[in-house]
Amino acid sequence: MTIRLALLVALILSIAPIVPSIAADNRADRFALVIGNAKYPDAESPLKEPINDARDVADELKRDGFNVEVGENLTGDAMRRAFDRLYGRIKPGSVVLVFFSGFGVQSSRQSYMIPVDAQIWTEPDVRRDGFSLETVLGEINARGAGVKIALIDASRRNPFERRFRSFSAGLAPVIAPNGTLVMYSAALSSVISDNGGDHSLFVQELLKEIRVPDLMAEETLNRTRVGVTRASRSEQVPWISSSLAEDFSFIPGSGARPPSAPPGPMATLPQPAPNPLPPPPRNDPLPPKIEILPPVDKPVEKSEGTQAVALADDPTIKSLTAKLADNPDDQSALYRRGQVYASKGAYNLAIKDFDDSIRLNPKDVEALNNRCWARTVIGDLQAALKDCNEALRLRPNFVDALDSRGLVNLKSGQAKNAVADFDAALRINPRLTSSLYGRGLAKQRSGSISEGDLDISNAKAMDPNIVKEFAGYGVR
């Protein structure tokens, strides 16, 4: 009897070391919400990757012990209900993961996940219809989750950001609670295009690394980052932020750790710093009298060469310039650098980049519209009108180009034509503040003072900064 008791004690002591790891790997307390949004009415065609990616990620997480809910092409109400269900399942110490693939937009230094029915024309619309990643992580943390993971594949060039006068491409850095691991599929404030396949490069590499047993989550994502960067030849560099306070592995194994990813490339990968860019320079509020500044050959700015040197060290411009040094015909990089230059007030530099972008793709209506707007600001009104007309020929009723052409006509003194363009834009989007304010100015100039005053008053109520914005375009 004594011998048997001794053997039993020895057996218990021999297995005791594995008990803590079993408790730490309580898979009943792993919860995931996986969303793939592909069918956005504002996009020219559905995205190819998000649905397949969401399904594959969900299947892998289920195999890893997560209780997974999958949502496809979710509206705002459906996304809200899905997040509420996730919040309701969380227990103290739970592992909670959110995966989102679709369109994302940054606004006020936060990143927003966009539902398929979002009506976004201005930055306030982003905050109204989108779902702030910081808010979601805060809600998860408030319910006691121990490990919080967000995997966001939303750094796509989207139809929303180009409606804003200020620069807003890509995603913003996240300020997350302790115990959080966040990964974006691309660097901060950068955008990528769907690769044309059924799955994104980011998800392909992510799933490859998640399936490695006994790999800590931080290392899983670091290896994913290396894999994406290598496969894309540094065209796509995912961004990671971690404040994990405890170890977590998607697939706990035998304790034998696989070799770490070679550290060399990790140390040299480019990580653009966050670079919220200001709108064009703004002057003091407009006086009641309306004045259109005469056209000028150049805006009031430093010479192009001096300004190019001054902006060369801007992290985003520097990264894009490096890309263009490797491939001068990178149309996406040209278009985006043009956006950055325009938002910095370097309009002539922006126009040069839009020139090259349009040379590579003469049917890029977004680049045509942006060049129209930049040319309008500097007073090159005939060329601007030609650009807007071409954009509208390629895409009739393109609301952004109608708004831009309205500004061209307003600055040209063609008040009736301006009213017609702004009217057309407002029929498509009655909340387009720039068109409402521009129509008010045009009506005043054409003699309809009271109607113009009403438009201006309504526009200022919707956006108190609209007066300063137009002053930055040279309209007084």
Side-chain angles (χ1 to χ4, degrees):
M1 181 69 177
T2 301
I3 295 174
R4 289 179 179 175
L5 181 59
L7 289 173
L8 180 59
V9 171
L11 178 61
I12 292 173
L13 290 175
S14 69
I15 67 172
I18 70 171
V19 173
S21 64
I22 293 174
D25 185 35
N26 184 352
R27 298 193 177 197
D29 290 341
R30 295 181 168 200
F31 303 98
L33 174 59
V34 176
I35 298 174
N37 282 351
K39 294 183 179 179
Y40 290 87
D42 285 334
E44 292 184 354
S45 61
L47 298 172
K48 293 183 178 180
E49 301 164 354
I51 301 301
N52 290 332
D53 287 344
R55 291 174 181 175
D56 286 355
V57 169
D59 288 345
E60 179 58 37
L61 293 175
K62 289 175 184 176
R63 286 192 289 268
D64 298 342
F66 280 83
N67 184 331
V68 181
E69 177 177 347
V70 186
E72 298 179 0
N73 293 319
L74 298 186
T75 63
D77 285 342
M79 282 183 69
R80 189 169 294 106
R81 290 193 298 269
F83 280 120
D84 286 342
R85 286 192 295 271
L86 176 67
Y87 302 150
R89 295 188 182 105
I90 298 171
K91 304 173 185 177
S94 297
V95 175
V96 181
L97 183 148
V98 173
F99 173 88
F100 177 82
S101 181
F103 284 141
V105 176
Q106 66 162 286
S107 177
S108 298
R109 297 181 294 280
Q110 291 192 45
S111 295
Y112 289 81
M113 298 170 282
I114 306 301
V116 296
D117 65 342
Q119 296 293 313
I120 294 176
W121 294 92
T122 65
E123 288 201 65
D125 296 337
V126 176
R127 298 186 286 276
R128 183 199 64 216
D129 288 354
F131 290 80
S132 163
L133 178 58
E134 289 186 2
T135 300
V136 168
L137 291 172
E139 291 286 348
I140 292 172
N141 185 64
R143 285 158 174 78
V147 174
K148 300 160 282 286
I149 300 174
L151 305 173
I152 309 299
D153 192 3
S155 302
R156 296 178 169 91
R157 180 177 173 183
N158 63 60
F160 306 119
E161 67 193 20
R162 295 185 296 278
R163 295 170 178 171
F164 308 151
R165 295 302 189 188
S166 58
F167 177 76
S168 60
L171 302 180
V174 61
I175 301 175
N178 288 335
T180 302
L181 184 57
V182 179
M183 186 173 197
Y184 296 159
S185 58
L188 299 174
S189 296
S190 69
V191 292
I192 56 176
S193 300
D194 277 3
N195 60 24
D198 294 329
H199 298 84
S200 74
L201 174 60
F202 172 68
V203 167
Q204 291 175 31
E205 295 295 325
L206 174 67
L207 292 176
K208 184 191 305 181
E209 301 302 337
I210 282 182
R211 291 164 183 160
V212 178
D214 206 27
L215 197 63
M216 293 300 102
E218 284 188 5
E219 190 170 356
T220 296
L221 299 194
N222 277 326
R223 290 164 66 103
T224 300
R225 178 171 174 260
V226 172
V228 171
T229 304
R230 286 174 173 168
S232 68
R233 298 184 179 181
S234 297
E235 289 293 316
Q236 180 178 348
V237 183
W239 178 82
I240 302 173
S241 173
S242 176
S243 62
L244 285 185
E246 58 185 277
D247 287 338
F248 169 75
S249 176
F250 289 97
I251 308 178
S254 62
R257 299 293 300 279
S260 299
M266 290 290 292
T268 59
L269 297 180
Q271 276 282 46
N275 184 38
L277 302 175
R282 292 171 170 171
N283 300 323
D284 294 330
L286 297 175
K289 179 183 177 182
I290 302 168
E291 174 189 357
I292 305 300
L293 297 181
V296 293
D297 293 332
K298 290 181 178 287
V300 180
E301 58 176 30
K302 299 177 183 177
S303 68
E304 292 175 23
T306 302
Q307 197 160 38
V309 171
L311 294 175
D313 288 333
D314 176 274
T316 305
I317 291 175
K318 190 174 183 179
S319 174
L320 293 168
T321 300
K323 286 186 177 182
L324 289 166
D326 293 335
N327 178 13
D329 290 338
D330 185 337
Q331 196 232 346
S332 177
L334 285 165
Y335 173 85
R336 184 159 172 255
R337 193 175 68 175
Q339 283 185 305
V340 181
Y341 278 142
S343 66
K344 291 282 191 179
Y347 300 111
N348 284 293
L349 294 175
I351 289 168
K352 286 184 176 180
D353 278 348
F354 292 139
D355 285 345
D356 288 335
S357 179
I358 293 165
R359 172 180 56 79
L360 294 168
N361 179 11
K363 295 184 179 181
D364 188 339
V365 294
E366 305 290 354
L368 284 164
N369 174 61
N370 281 350
R371 189 172 69 178
C372 170
W373 171 67
R375 283 174 163 172
T376 303
V377 174
I378 68 170
D380 189 2
L381 300 180
Q382 288 187 343
L385 182 62
K386 183 178 179 181
D387 280 343
C388 278
N389 286 340
E390 178 63 9
L392 287 164
R393 185 188 70 80
L394 293 168
R395 187 188 295 176
N397 296 320
F398 179 21
V399 68
D400 296 358
L402 287 168
D403 179 65
S404 295
R405 193 172 68 179
L407 182 62
V408 176
N409 284 319
L410 184 61
K411 292 193 71 172
S412 300
Q414 303 296 319
K416 290 184 179 179
N417 290 341
V419 169
D421 281 333
F422 291 135
D423 274 342
L426 289 165
R427 281 195 295 271
I428 299 169
N429 176 22
R431 295 178 297 170
L432 191 57
T433 314
S434 57
S435 284
L436 186 60
Y437 185 79
R439 187 177 70 178
L441 296 180
K443 283 182 175 179
Q444 286 183 336
R445 289 182 62 79
S446 62
S448 301
I449 305 299
S450 60
E451 291 183 13
D453 288 345
L454 180 61
D455 277 349
I456 289 172
S457 177
N458 288 334
K460 289 165 66 175
M462 293 166 62
D463 180 4
N465 293 318
I466 192 64
V467 177
K468 293 181 180 180
E469 181 178 317
F470 268 70
Y473 302 156
V475 179
R476 299 190 184 281

